[in-house]
Amino acid sequence: MNVKSKSNEELLEIYLDHLLARNKSQRTIKTFRSIIKQFIAYLKGRHISEATVWDIDGFLAWLRKRGYKEGSIYTAAVAVKRFMQYLGLEENLKGFEYPKRPADLPRYLEIEEVAALVKAAGNNLRDRLIVLLLYTTGMRVSELVGVKVGDVDLERHSIRIKGKGAKEREVFFHPSLREDIEKLMDSKPKSAYLFQGRNGKKMHYVTVERILKRLARKAGIKRKVSPHILRHSFATHSLMMGMDIREIQELLGHASLKTTQVYAHVSRRRLLKDYLKVWSTTLKEIE
């Protein structure tokens, strides 16, 4: 491809088609589109083939001045670099270094907070199952909305899902959820989505996010509740309750154990919190 013969906007659309063809999530594509459009605007009419490491650094500094957090700046660096690499502009990237990635531990909900979400869902079968399946399977929201009736095995209490890179894996649900799942399936054909949006189409991930925000408000939970936090809660609680970290890795669909090991840090932090709680009370009685 002759990069210089096409406009920045045309190159962006070609790259987004590439991401779509590689089965990248809607969220990733939306995020990359927004970031790269901002970078193109930052170049002020110059062609992307003229962009240098100085331009990328200047763009990241511009984002920082506008109040972007560390995680968002890191994501922006990834998006711009991968875009330029796809266009074959490696020479322009010489000397580029990623900004420091934040080492924040995953946030998770307490079991009582998950229970409050389920209670807030009341008799709404769909909303109740959205909470319970995200929490008890560790699925990503993109995986949840992609589940079809034919992917559910009621006898094995399992669901076949497609994760990142179209890799298939199997997750499990507790037998107590079987009856509710059967009701949601409700004689739908195997090709139908389990969670449907308008006209029987796949429910949009944004709809799931809105449902969780509404349930959190109703439950009186002040902090942010999202599908990914429920995924973190699944991993954290599984580890705390004695599951092997490699089993958790498989259920989460992590390619590397290193990604899963962050939950060990969360578990140790919780262990310290519980230790201090118990021993603070005990020492008060001794003193």
Side-chain angles (χ1 to χ4, degrees), residues 41-191:
Y42 178 81
L43 292 176
K44 296 180 179 178
R46 287 187 296 136
H47 196 268
I48 189 70
S49 61
E50 300 172 19
T52 65
V53 171
W54 287 4
D55 291 313
I56 301 174
D57 286 346
F59 174 62
L60 298 180
W62 177 74
L63 292 179
R64 190 180 298 278
K65 290 172 185 175
R66 294 187 67 197
Y68 278 63
K69 295 181 180 179
E70 296 292 338
S72 299
I73 292 171
Y74 181 85
T75 300
V78 171
V80 172
K81 183 181 180 183
R82 289 184 182 175
F83 177 49
M84 293 182 68
Q85 284 177 325
Y86 175 73
L87 298 178
L89 300 174
E90 285 86 356
E91 283 293 318
N92 302 50
L93 294 168
K94 278 190 175 180
F96 174 77
E97 293 181 4
Y98 281 118
K100 186 177 180 180
R101 190 172 191 173
D104 295 339
L105 293 177
R107 289 174 293 164
Y108 63 93
L109 299 178
E110 299 293 344
I111 294 174
E112 295 78 12
E113 291 176 309
V114 179
L117 289 175
V118 174
K119 185 178 180 180
N123 295 322
N124 189 313
L125 181 66
R126 181 200 66 179
D127 292 1
R128 171 185 166 87
L129 277 177
I130 283 174
V131 174
L132 287 170
L133 286 178
L134 285 171
Y135 173 59
T136 64
T137 67
M139 280 191 280
R140 301 176 177 92
V141 63
S142 59
E143 295 167 346
L144 178 77
V145 297
V147 171
K148 294 184 177 180
V149 170
D151 297 326
V152 181
D153 188 328
L154 292 171
E155 298 303 317
R156 284 176 47 82
H157 303 112
S158 68
I159 303 174
R160 185 179 67 252
I161 58 176
K162 283 187 177 179
K164 287 187 175 181
K167 292 180 181 177
E168 283 196 1
R169 74 180 190 281
E170 185 180 41
V171 297
F172 303 96
F173 58 86
H174 193 270
S176 62
L177 300 183
R178 174 172 172 166
E179 186 178 342
D180 282 350
I181 292 174
E182 281 187 287
K183 288 179 183 177
L184 194 64
M185 292 167 74
D186 190 30
S187 303
K188 294 173 186 171
K190 289 186 175 182
S191 59

Side-chain angles (χ1 to χ4, degrees), residues 207-225:
T207 303
V208 177
E209 291 175 343
R210 287 173 180 163
I211 289 169
L212 293 180
K213 286 180 182 177
R214 174 170 51 79
L215 293 178
R217 284 196 302 270
K218 189 175 179 182
I221 300 172
K222 302 299 181 183
R223 55 191 176 132
K224 181 180 178 182
V225 175

Side-chain angles (χ1 to χ4, degrees), residues 279-287:
W279 281 98
S280 294
T281 304
T282 304
L283 288 173
K284 281 181 183 178
E285 293 178 4
I286 293 174
E287 295 170 352

